[in-house]
Each structure stands twice: as C-alpha cells, then as structure tokens.
Amino acid sequence: MSSSALPPAVPGGSRSPVHVSVHTYPAQLQYPPRTYLVFAVLVTIFCFFPTGLVALVSALRVNTLWKAQEHDKSRKASRRARNWGLLSLAIGIVAVIVVVFWSSINYLNL
C-alpha cells in the first residue's frame, strides 16, 4: 500500500504533528502544600507547648492562604509549621533524655 493511499491525518492533507499550546501549571501551584496539622497538634500536646503553638497556628493558616490565592505565603506557612514542629519535637526529646538521665543519677545516688 502506498503512502498516498492513506487518508490524511489532519484536514487539508498535512501529516505533520499538530502543536497545541496548552498552558500547564507547575505541580507546586496545582496542589496546596502540606499543612502538618496533625504533627503540630501532637507536638503541641506531647512535646513543648510554646513552639508547638506557633506550629499549630502556622499549620492552620496554610489552607486559608491557599484559598485566598496567596500561594507563596501558603508555602511559607507550611515550612514554618514544619520547622516549628520539628523544633518542638527536638525540645521534647532533649527534655525526656535530660529527665531520664537526671532520674537515673538520683536513683544511683540513693
């Protein structure tokens, strides 16, 4: 079968690929950033309240800012919630280690 017997793919007889300019958004802008809300609540309750509270407030602002079309501020609030949550977790871990170490020294001195 010769190539001339094939029907044209595009009206007008052109068989070259059609280039359609479709505007796509980067993946960052299609989906809101993580809120870290559960993490913020847990570190607020179990680790260290003051820095956990900052993480909690930042986590609550993420979706509100995203819906207000303030994407940069939303991503910044997400990072802030994560960083303050990690700080709370680190303080909580250090506090537990200090308490265990201190109580073991007091127990051995009795």
Side-chain angles (χ1 to χ4, degrees):
M1 186 181 228
S2 69
S3 64
S4 62
L6 294 174
V10 179
S14 171
R15 296 185 54 87
S16 64
V18 177
H19 298 287
V20 179
S21 177
V22 178
H23 185 67
T24 58
Y25 293 101
Q28 303 170 359
L29 296 178
Q30 290 180 355
Y31 304 105
R34 292 183 56 179
T35 60
Y36 297 100
L37 185 59
V38 174
F39 178 59
V41 168
L42 292 176
V43 297
T44 301
I45 294 171
F46 295 113
C47 292
F48 191 62
F49 182 75
T51 56
L53 192 60
V54 175
L56 186 61
V57 170
S58 296
L60 290 171
R61 293 185 66 212
V62 172
N63 284 336
T64 306
L65 289 170
W66 185 265
K67 290 177 184 176
Q69 300 296 320
E70 297 184 19
H71 301 298
D72 291 334
K73 289 182 181 179
S74 177
R75 283 191 288 276
K76 185 176 179 181
S78 175
R79 283 192 309 269
R80 175 181 271 171
R82 181 197 63 206
N83 292 342
W84 281 102
L86 289 174
L87 179 64
S88 297
L89 182 64
I91 290 171
I93 289 172
V94 168
V96 167
I97 290 172
V98 167
V99 166
V100 167
F101 183 70
W102 187 263
S103 62
S104 65
I105 289 175
N106 285 338
Y107 178 74
L108 293 175
N109 286 336
L110 291 177

